Every structure is written in structure tokens, then in C-alpha cells.
Amino acid sequence: RDPMYAGVLVVVLLGQVSSRLVCNVRDFGAKGDGSTCDTKAFDMAIHHCKRSSVDAQIVVPSPGRYKTSWITLYSNQELRVEAGATLLAENRTCHSVARPTVATPWTWMLPHESKTKPAPFIGATNAENVKLSGEGEIYSQGNKFGSPLLQFVNCTRLEISGIYIRDSKDWTIHPLNCDHVWIHNIRINNTWGEIGTDGIDPDSSRDVLIEDNIIGCGDDFVAIKAGRNPHVNPPMTRNVHVRNNHFLHGYGISIGSETSGGVIDVLIENNSVQGPTFNGLFIKTAPCRGDTPIRNITYVNNSLQSVQHKAIFVNALFQTCPSAKGGPPKISELHYRNNTATTLGQDTGAFICNPDRPCYGIQVDDVSVTSDKKPQNAWQCKAAHGTAVGVDPALQCLI
């Protein structure tokens, strides 16, 4: 593995010790019959494990369909959903445990917004060594939670692997202000065209590795974010690696639009997009997101098919700004190498930067975009400085 990410995996693996308490939810009364509310049994299993001083595994055994509401994990806990087991996410009818709220970091909320949110279906706050694993399924049943389906806030050493997540009506996975995050070998299948049903959204987080996943959703496959409030200096997102993923239907492999803390040192490589997808490689932000950098973003060896709009798109004017404004982000050092794409329309790509804060250091090398419809539109640029070599069709609008 890359030396840059060796520390992430070592720390995660060091959390696996031979001494482990195993809590099977059936031992605490879970029925898994698809109709009984199992929330209380899950809560009892988790809190029993919480009293242990060793690592704990909460096991959801197969076969079974476990109807449950919000699950809160704590430090040194792994929730393992075995193959053949399904968690049926309930937000209304399964309230044997009072619904908790989560204190959302003030760097994420705007001044007029509530500082607490309803709890996600599965989450953890201020925890370390947290895992969600297994070959089982999480099925939202079409329920909305008023928060991401899975949200982890202020966590260190978070690993999510193996699980199949279906039909989320919110952001699916949201690590917020987390360190050392590893999300791998999972599947997400949300409804095509439903806005707000992102796949994986690392946010104000550091040392994140997203690899070997299969994701289809209604919005961004991955959206790398860094907070919404430009006035309080949200934590920066840095050292994010997105590689070897297969993306089905969605909106794009994205950065933004929430970038108030800055996003730096991102590598997106060896991913395939089957499509349809609205955009391909997409950076989106607004003039008021904050005077912070979006810098050193690299895209290498990505293959995109069935792109409906633009294969490569930088839009620094993505949204209009409210009356309370931050400064415009500083976008620089964008590197595109050996990427190929096919668009369903006539679009190619665009670099739409802010004339008040131009983009600098754009490098586009050996990139090919083929359009299914002719004539193919030329690249579009605005206040974008950089170079292009070996680009088809020719990219001539960079300054």
C-alpha cells in the first residue's frame, strides 16, 4: 500500500486484539423475524459490551431480518452483520428506545440552524476504534432519518467493510471530523435520480482511504467535503485516496460543494464509472465558501462511461451566496492524467473559475473525451490558468 496510507491501516489493524467480548443480539432478546421491534435488544447488547475494557463485537447473526431503530456505537466496538442477516431501518414505528439526538459540530452548521440533529440510523460520536463489518445488509425501507443513514462524528480509526447498504434516502455514509477512515469492499445501491442520496461523504476528515467499493446512488458517488460555515474555520479535509472503485448510476466523483475548511491532497485513481452519471470528475464550490484552499487534487487512470453532462467539470460558481458571505476558495494544482470518458450529449468539460479568485496550476495530460452526439462542444474556461498536452478534443481555452 501507499506509504502515505500505511499509517492508516497499521493503526486500524492494531485495534484488532485477540481478547474480545462477543455479544450476540439474540442473546439479549432480538427475534430477527422482520416484525418484532429489536431496538431494545440491540441497545442492551451494545451497552453490555460497552462495560467491557476489551474490544467488543456485537454480532447480528444469520438468518434474520432485524427491525430496529437508531444504533449508537462506542469506542472499541464492532457491529458485525453476518451474511444472510438484514437490518431493517425504522424511523417511526420501532421506538422502544427514545430517539437520541447528535450534537453536530458548529463548524458544519450555519448560524441560524439548530446545533443538534436527529441521530442517524447507525453512528458514533467522540469514539475510537469503531467498525461496521460483515456481508449482511442494511435496508432503509425508504425511510428518511433527517440525518445521514450512517454518520460518525469526531471519531478516530473508523473502518466500514463488506456491508451492503440499500435504498438510503439520505446521504449514505458521512464521516464528519474523523481521522484514519478506511471504507472498503462495500456495496451501496440507492435509487437513481434521487437528489441527496450520496454514497460516501468524508467531511472535514483526514487520512481517508476509500477503495474497492461498488456504488450506485441518486447523487454524488463520493463527495469530499469540509464544512459549511466559512466564519468559524472548519477543520480541513486532507489526505484522501479514492481508488479501485466501480461506480454505477449517480451524479459524479465530487469535491464539494461544502468546502469552507479547505480540501487538499486528494488522489482519485483507477476508478471506473459505468453510468449513467450526470457529471464525471466534479469540483463544485461557491464564492462564499471561505478563503481556504482546494489544492493538490489529482485524477489518474479513471474511466467514465455514459456521462450525461460534463466529463471534467470545475465550477467555482456552483451556488449563489447568502447575505453573510465568506471569501472565495483558492483553487490550484489540479492534475488530470490518463483519464478517458464518453458523454451521452455534446458536452466535453469545463473549468469555470471565479474571476475574483482565478484557478491556477491546472494540468491536463493525455485525457480523451468522446461524445455520442456531434458536433462535440468545445471545452469551456473562465479565469482558469494551466496547460494541456495530449487532450482530445484539444483543450485550448486555459490561460
Side-chain angles (χ1 to χ4, degrees):
R1 299 189 183 274
D2 296 353
M4 174 179 169
Y5 288 91
V8 179
L9 303 182
V10 167
V11 188
V12 169
L13 294 174
L14 285 176
Q16 299 177 352
V17 296
S18 58
S19 177
R20 166 174 285 189
L21 176 64
V22 176
C23 299
N24 188 314
V25 296
R26 285 191 179 270
D27 294 337
F28 294 83
K31 301 299 183 184
D33 58 13
S35 59
T36 301
C37 180
D38 287 327
T39 303
K40 189 68 175 179
F42 274 71
D43 191 60
M44 291 173 62
I46 290 167
H47 280 84
H48 179 80
C49 281
K50 183 183 177 184
R51 293 197 295 268
S52 170
S53 60
V54 299
D55 282 8
Q57 184 181 73
I58 298 95
V59 175
V60 183
S62 173
R65 292 170 62 81
Y66 299 85
K67 181 179 176 182
T68 180
S69 302
W70 26 93
I71 297 170
T72 300
L73 299 175
Y74 300 91
S75 292
N76 304 313
Q77 289 190 339
E78 174 185 4
L79 177 64
R80 181 167 183 81
V81 185
E82 293 185 343
T86 299
L87 297 182
L88 302 174
E90 289 287 334
N91 69 348
R92 294 181 298 272
T93 61
C94 190
H95 289 176
S96 61
V97 175
R99 183 173 191 179
T101 58
V102 175
T104 303
W106 52 285
T107 54
W108 175 252
M109 308 309 298
L110 296 177
H112 65 279
E113 295 176 323
S114 171
K115 301 304 182 289
T116 60
K117 290 283 188 180
F121 175 56
I122 298 176
T125 301
N126 300 324
E128 60 181 21
N129 299 324
V130 175
K131 292 185 182 182
L132 173 62
S133 68
E135 303 299 323
E137 179 184 357
I138 297 171
Y139 176 33
S140 83
Q141 306 183 98
N143 289 323
K144 289 183 69 69
F145 281 80
S147 60
L149 187 68
L150 278 61
Q151 180 172 258
F152 302 87
V153 180
N154 301 337
C155 291
T156 301
R157 294 183 295 276
L158 167 67
E159 180 181 355
I160 302 173
S161 67
I163 208 79
Y164 172 43
I165 305 172
R166 180 160 64 98
D167 200 30
S168 175
K169 300 303 179 183
D170 307 279
W171 292 356
T172 308
I173 302 176
H174 185 216
L176 176 56
N177 196 30
C178 292
D179 290 278
H180 306 305
V181 177
W182 186 22
I183 302 174
H184 61 101
N185 300 103
I186 71 167
R187 292 178 296 150
I188 296 173
N189 187 13
N190 299 335
T191 303
W192 162 241
E194 286 193 332
I195 298 301
T197 62
D198 296 14
I200 303 172
D201 290 2
D203 192 343
S204 289
S205 295
R206 295 144 300 275
D207 299 324
V208 178
L209 178 56
I210 299 170
E211 63 177 347
D212 300 316
N213 304 294
I214 300 173
I215 299 175
C217 52
D219 212 313
D220 297 313
F221 302 120
V222 173
I224 301 169
K225 303 176 181 292
R228 298 170 62 225
N229 192 336
H231 305 290
V232 295
N233 299 316
M236 181 178 289
T237 291
R238 65 188 309 161
N239 294 343
V240 179
H241 196 170
V242 181
R243 67 182 180 190
N244 303 329
N245 300 285
H246 183 59
F247 298 119
L248 304 173
H249 50 270
Y251 198 88
I253 307 173
S254 302
I255 294 173
S257 64
E258 300 87 351
T259 61
S260 294
V263 177
I264 68 171
D265 300 335
V266 174
L267 175 58
I268 297 173
E269 65 171 341
N270 297 328
N271 300 288
S272 62
V273 175
Q274 175 179 312
T277 178
F278 190 70
N279 287 303
L281 308 176
F282 191 18
I283 297 176
K284 49 182 173 175
T285 188
C288 52
R289 283 300 187 192
D291 186 20
T292 52
I294 301 173
R295 185 179 73 238
N296 194 26
I297 315 297
T298 302
Y299 304 89
V300 181
N301 296 330
N302 298 289
S303 174
L304 304 96
Q305 304 297 319
S306 300
V307 181
Q308 294 182 324
H309 190 40
K310 291 176 170 57
I312 294 175
F313 193 13
V314 174
N315 188 357
L317 307 174
F318 179 68
Q319 294 166 317
T320 57
C321 293
S323 56
K325 298 181 180 180
K330 298 175 282 192
I331 301 175
S332 65
E333 299 177 39
L334 309 182
H335 312 285
Y336 302 84
R337 297 196 303 272
N338 300 318
N339 299 288
T340 61
T342 300
T343 63
L344 297 176
Q346 295 174 279
D347 280 331
T348 301
F351 298 91
I352 307 302
C353 301
N354 189 335
D356 295 328
R357 181 64 61 77
C359 302
Y360 290 98
I362 300 171
Q363 295 179 321
V364 186
D365 298 327
D366 299 315
V367 168
S368 174
V369 180
T370 303
S371 172
D372 279 356
K373 294 184 179 180
K374 306 297 180 184
Q376 186 169 350
N377 292 334
W379 293 84
Q380 299 172 286
C381 299
K382 184 179 205 177
H385 297 252
T387 62
V389 177
V391 179
D392 183 24
L395 172 53
Q396 300 175 324
C397 58
L398 294 173
I399 302 172

